[in-house]
Amino acid sequence: MMVIMQEHLNYYMNIMKTLLSSAFESAADQKREKVMLRRTETVVEKMLSNWLAFTLYPFLETVAVRPFYTMYRAITCQIWKGPVDAVTGHAKYSLSEKRLLIKDVDYNIITINVVTLDDPEQTVEVKVIDCDCISQVKDKIMDVLYSNVPFSARPSLDSVDVEWRHGHGGRLVLSDFDVTTVHEGAWQKYNTLLHYNVSDGDRMAIVSSQQEQNGSGVASQAHTLHLFKPTTDDENKKATARRNVTDVYFTRMLMTKGTLENFINNTFSALLQPPGDTVPSGIKYFFDYLESEAARLRIDDPEVVRIWKTNRFVFLLS
């Protein structure tokens, strides 16, 4: 809806404000003002998140782009230091307990030499993990090779392959699934660098994708797994309930948050305390609207309005 109505924001805002006003009135009647805007489950809350993201874009592009991008790079580098399950998204160095990898994985960090784009005789070092699937390796390689190229100008991951060059003229295109893929019953396991016996210091290159010609790299109808078999939501809840919050996994998550704390704080400072007090117009307009709604509903507790503002801003950044 936001994409369709971006040329008619006034109409979009009128719809959003009408729905929000109705939601505020309902919450006030039920004495549930403080839980408003805590989630993004309703249609109006999703509309609000999209509207704020849309109106914040010019500000992020001009004023807060550096700390925002620095935070993104810091989070990416930290997560890539450990295993990430390609199916579930669970990571060893996660910022969220829901996405924390709570099983031990044996892995080694290795360095591969990737042929540069400009000179086939020159290589650049890329840090990868031997349990990375080929798509993850490709992502890390592309991130290094195209570090100075905007994301919009980079080739898509599906349009290129990873080619392993070893020995005298030996070349092999690596893919997530091929004829060597391991099957465990109904499950099909992602190929990894360890699966191909790639060693530290091996030579790699990015080449044009051949998957359309040979059909490799695409999973069959079997269930797929990477590090572990995916569990259901009920099984995840049971595993979380059995786990002590003071164990090594939770401690590791706190250490990850501590490592990234300065980057996150700098981003919040750029958004909330920009140079020259240039507060984003979208945030100011919405915060003024929240105060007017509190006055209309005769909510005298300033803590309620503060909670509204905090809830929505946190969800916008999450």
Side-chain angles (χ1 to χ4, degrees):
M1 182 185 292
M2 188 73 223
V3 175
I4 297 174
M5 302 185 66
Q6 58 181 321
E7 300 297 333
H8 307 281
L9 282 182
N10 287 336
Y11 184 53
Y12 184 95
M13 289 167 57
N14 288 335
I15 297 174
M16 182 180 70
K17 289 168 64 176
T18 300
L19 294 175
L20 277 174
S21 296
S22 176
F24 281 127
E25 291 173 3
S26 177
D29 292 340
Q30 300 175 28
K31 305 299 181 183
R32 299 175 61 253
E33 302 95 334
K34 292 185 178 181
V35 301
M36 276 294 297
L37 306 180
R38 182 176 292 179
R39 301 182 181 275
T40 55
E41 297 175 348
T42 64
V43 172
V44 66
E45 287 172 327
K46 291 182 180 357
M47 290 179 65
L48 175 58
S49 293
N50 292 335
W51 179 81
L52 282 172
F54 186 84
T55 56
L56 268 179
Y57 180 78
F59 176 81
L60 292 175
E61 189 180 32
T62 57
V63 179
V65 60
R66 183 176 294 275
F68 200 82
Y69 182 72
T70 303
M71 179 187 69
Y72 160 74
R73 293 300 307 165
I75 293 175
T76 301
C77 291
Q78 184 65 24
I79 292 176
W80 279 357
K81 286 183 178 179
V84 180
D85 193 287
V87 177
T88 65
H90 291 186
K92 178 178 181 178
Y93 298 108
S94 172
L95 290 173
S96 170
E97 185 176 357
K98 294 181 180 179
R99 292 296 181 183
L100 188 63
L101 196 62
I102 59 174
K103 296 181 180 180
D104 292 327
V105 180
D106 294 329
Y107 69 95
N108 294 297
I109 297 176
I110 62 177
T111 302
I112 56 176
N113 298 311
V114 180
V115 176
T116 62
L117 300 173
D118 300 327
D119 187 353
E121 299 301 323
Q122 298 292 325
T123 60
V124 61
E125 293 185 348
V126 178
K127 296 285 187 181
V128 293
I129 302 175
D130 60 0
C131 65
D132 281 343
C133 70
I134 306 308
S135 292
Q136 292 173 330
V137 175
K138 189 192 307 182
D139 196 8
K140 293 179 180 180
I141 292 175
M142 296 285 283
D143 191 63
V144 173
L145 292 183
Y146 291 90
S147 58
N148 296 322
V149 178
F151 280 94
S152 58
R154 299 181 184 183
S156 66
L157 293 180
D158 293 334
S159 66
V160 296
D161 284 333
V162 177
E163 185 179 74
W164 181 22
R165 300 179 178 178
H166 58 101
H168 298 286
R171 299 189 178 191
L172 176 65
V173 173
L174 309 184
S175 58
D176 288 328
F177 305 98
D178 56 23
V179 295
T180 69
T181 296
V182 175
H183 292 262
E184 298 180 3
W187 294 87
Q188 188 171 256
K189 192 171 183 178
Y190 273 78
N191 296 337
T192 64
L193 294 181
L194 187 61
H195 169 80
Y196 285 110
N197 292 318
V198 175
S199 304
D200 188 71
D202 281 359
R203 192 182 182 96
M204 299 277 184
I206 291 292
V207 297
S208 297
S209 178
Q210 302 296 317
Q211 291 182 13
E212 294 183 358
Q213 286 76 16
N214 58 29
S216 65
V218 180
S220 66
Q221 296 300 317
H223 299 293
T224 59
L225 69 95
H226 178 204
L227 301 177
F228 301 102
K229 291 182 180 178
T231 56
T232 64
D233 290 338
D234 290 338
E235 290 172 331
N236 282 333
K237 290 178 181 178
K238 292 178 181 179
T240 302
R242 291 194 300 266
R243 182 178 58 196
N244 188 339
V245 295
T246 61
D247 66 9
V248 64
Y249 304 109
F250 192 73
T251 302
R252 187 172 62 220
M253 185 182 67
L254 293 179
M255 292 177 61
T256 302
K257 290 185 175 182
T259 302
L260 299 171
E261 182 177 5
N262 288 337
F263 299 100
I264 297 173
N265 289 341
N266 290 340
T267 302
F268 271 94
S269 297
L271 293 172
L272 296 175
Q273 299 174 340
D277 294 328
T278 54
V279 179
S281 57
I283 290 180
K284 185 180 186 307
Y285 180 89
F286 179 64
F287 282 5
D288 289 344
Y289 167 76
L290 292 179
E291 292 175 1
S292 66
E293 281 296 294
R296 183 177 68 86
L297 298 171
R298 298 181 180 179
I299 298 176
D300 300 325
D301 187 358
E303 185 69 9
V304 173
V305 180
R306 187 195 68 81
I307 291 175
W308 288 352
K309 296 177 180 179
T310 303
N311 286 347
R312 184 44 42 197
F313 202 74
V314 168
F315 264 103
L316 176 64
L317 294 177
S318 60

